[in-house]
Amino acid sequence: MLFRSFNELIDDQRGKRLFTVGDALAERDTLALLEGIKLGWKDLDHWIYPGLLPGQVLVVLAKTGVGKTAWLTQVLHNLSEYWIFEDGGHVAKGPAVPIMVLSLEQTKPEIVNRMERIAYFWDPWMTVDQFKMAHRNVRVNDENKIPPSDLRVLINEFIDEVQMPPKVIILDYLGYW
C-alpha cells in the first residue's frame, strides 16, 4: 500500500516505551562505561557517577541567599582550565570544559567578578591573562528574558566562537526562565 493512514505513520514512530528491569540494568551498565563530566568534588562525583552525561539536567534547589550561584561559580572554576601555583610556577589543571552561562539574574560583570574571586581564592598569584585563558571556553549571556526559541541561536553563536558546542549550560536562575 503506497498511502498509509496518519495513525499508522504515528504508530510506526512511537517505538518501545515499556522496558524490563533487565533492559534498565543493561542500559545502566552501558552508561557506567561512559566518562561523564565531573563537578570537582570527590563525594558528589561519586554519587553522580559516571558524571554528567549528554542530555542530562542537574537542578540545584535551595532557599534564596544560601549560595546556589556561588556553588555554580565554583563549578565553573572546577570545569575551567584553572591554574595552580606549584613548584615555583603556574601549572594548568582542569578539564577546560566549554560552558555557556545564561545569567537571567546577574550581569556579565557580576558573574565574572564572582568567577575571578573564586579563581584568586585558589591561586592568589594568577594574572588577569591567566584568568582569561583558563576561562576561554566560557561564554556568558546576561539577558534577563530569553525565549526558549533563542537557545538554538545562542548555542550556534557559542559554536561559532569556541569552535565546539557547549558541554554544560548553566542557567541561573531557573525561576526567571
Side-chain angles (χ1 to χ4, degrees):
M1 176 182 201
L2 184 58
F3 296 102
R4 299 174 59 201
S5 76
F6 179 74
N7 286 339
E8 289 173 323
L9 292 172
I10 295 298
D11 286 342
D12 286 348
Q13 297 304 311
R14 287 193 182 158
K16 186 171 181 175
R17 295 171 55 197
L18 295 174
F19 301 90
T20 68
V21 170
D23 294 335
L25 289 171
E27 184 175 337
R28 179 203 62 194
D29 293 344
T30 300
L31 290 175
L33 300 174
L34 299 175
E35 183 67 29
I37 295 173
K38 308 285 188 278
L39 297 179
W41 289 281
K42 184 180 174 184
D43 290 340
L44 180 60
D45 288 335
H46 167 76
W47 288 108
I48 63 169
Y49 183 81
L52 295 179
L53 298 173
Q56 286 187 322
V57 176
L58 173 68
V59 179
V60 179
L61 298 172
K63 291 183 178 183
T64 301
V66 299
K68 294 179 299 295
T69 301
W71 186 82
L72 287 170
T73 308
Q74 180 65 53
V75 168
L76 273 167
H77 174 77
N78 293 354
L79 297 180
S80 72
E81 185 179 28
Y82 56 84
W83 297 73
I84 61 169
F85 195 76
E86 191 175 85
D87 299 325
H90 283 91
V91 179
K93 300 283 184 181
V97 173
I99 302 172
M100 183 167 66
V101 179
L102 305 176
S103 177
L104 307 179
E105 185 174 33
Q106 296 185 5
T107 65
K108 293 180 294 292
E110 289 171 323
I111 289 292
V112 171
N113 187 45
R114 285 176 177 239
M115 291 168 59
E116 195 173 39
R117 285 192 314 231
I118 287 176
Y120 291 147
F121 173 80
W122 292 110
D123 182 0
W125 298 279
M126 179 184 284
T127 67
V128 172
D129 286 340
Q130 289 170 334
F131 173 75
K132 289 191 290 189
M133 178 58 88
H135 295 88
R136 69 188 174 281
N137 292 333
V138 175
R139 295 297 183 274
V140 180
N141 176 290
D142 64 356
E143 300 169 50
N144 64 358
K145 297 285 183 195
I146 302 174
S149 59
D150 280 0
L151 190 55
R152 174 59 53 201
V153 173
L154 291 169
I155 291 171
N156 286 335
E157 183 177 336
F158 186 99
I159 293 169
D160 288 344
E161 289 189 16
V162 182
Q163 302 302 306
M164 64 183 97
K167 287 193 176 180
V168 173
I169 298 175
I170 293 177
L171 175 64
D172 186 27
Y173 159 74
L174 188 59
Y176 289 155
W177 181 259

